Amino acid sequence: MENKGNELRKLDNSDFIPEYFYLLPEAKQNEYIQRKLDNEIDLDRTKQEKVLQSKVAEHDMSVAQAHIQALDSNRKFYTVTQKFEMGSGKVEVSIRGGDTKFIVPIVVSVGAIIMGILFLL
């Protein structure tokens, strides 16, 4: 199969069985199948943990955004730093401001970027 344009493609190896599989004794075949099933279970668990981390981070970001919007910025300056651990990594958001007319577009932009990262998972 030729890969035109150096594009990424998904390798479907869910039904991958080596050619020599049927030449193995039955005990080795069963051991191989058990290992394959254990690996698939571990992969599914890891994927679910990463998705859960991302959902928790998304919730935490929305709470932080609501907190920032609720700050009294009349003649005040503030700095807010938040760290979020998502399924794909860690993100640190640091916001300094005091003028809500200036800070809200920045928070919305940062939130949109982070949401975009989440959807790439």
Side-chain angles (χ1 to χ4, degrees), residues 29-40:
Q29 287 180 1
N30 290 336
E31 181 182 337
Y32 178 84
I33 291 171
Q34 186 62 42
R35 278 192 203 166
K36 184 164 175 53
L37 291 173
D38 289 342
N39 287 341
E40 287 179 15

Side-chain angles (χ1 to χ4, degrees), residues 68 78 95-108:
I68 290 169
Y78 56 85
I95 300 171
R96 292 182 217 164
D99 183 10
T100 57
K101 292 178 183 174
F102 177 71
I103 198 71
V104 171
I106 293 174
V107 171
V108 170

Side-chain angles (χ1 to χ4, degrees), residues 21-109:
F21 177 77
Y22 297 106
L23 300 176
L24 295 172
E26 187 175 342
K28 290 288 185 181
Q29 287 180 1
N30 290 336
E31 181 182 337
Y32 178 84
I33 291 171
Q34 186 62 42
R35 278 192 203 166
K36 184 164 175 53
L37 291 173
D38 289 342
N39 287 341
E40 287 179 15
I41 290 170
D42 288 341
L43 284 173
D44 285 342
R45 183 176 56 241
T46 302
K47 284 192 288 187
Q48 289 174 356
E49 287 173 356
K50 297 293 183 183
V51 168
L52 182 62
Q53 281 178 342
S54 294
K55 287 183 180 183
V56 168
E58 180 181 358
H59 175 265
D60 291 347
M61 284 187 282
S62 66
V63 169
Q65 183 176 3
H67 173 71
I68 290 169
Q69 289 176 345
L71 287 174
D72 180 19
S73 62
N74 189 15
R75 297 182 186 170
K76 294 179 184 175
F77 291 98
Y78 56 85
T79 301
V80 177
T81 302
Q82 293 284 326
K83 294 180 183 179
F84 304 102
E85 185 170 351
M86 294 182 255
S88 60
K90 296 180 181 180
V91 174
E92 182 176 331
V93 178
S94 181
I95 300 171
R96 292 182 217 164
D99 183 10
T100 57
K101 292 178 183 174
F102 177 71
I103 198 71
V104 171
I106 293 174
V107 171
V108 170
S109 299

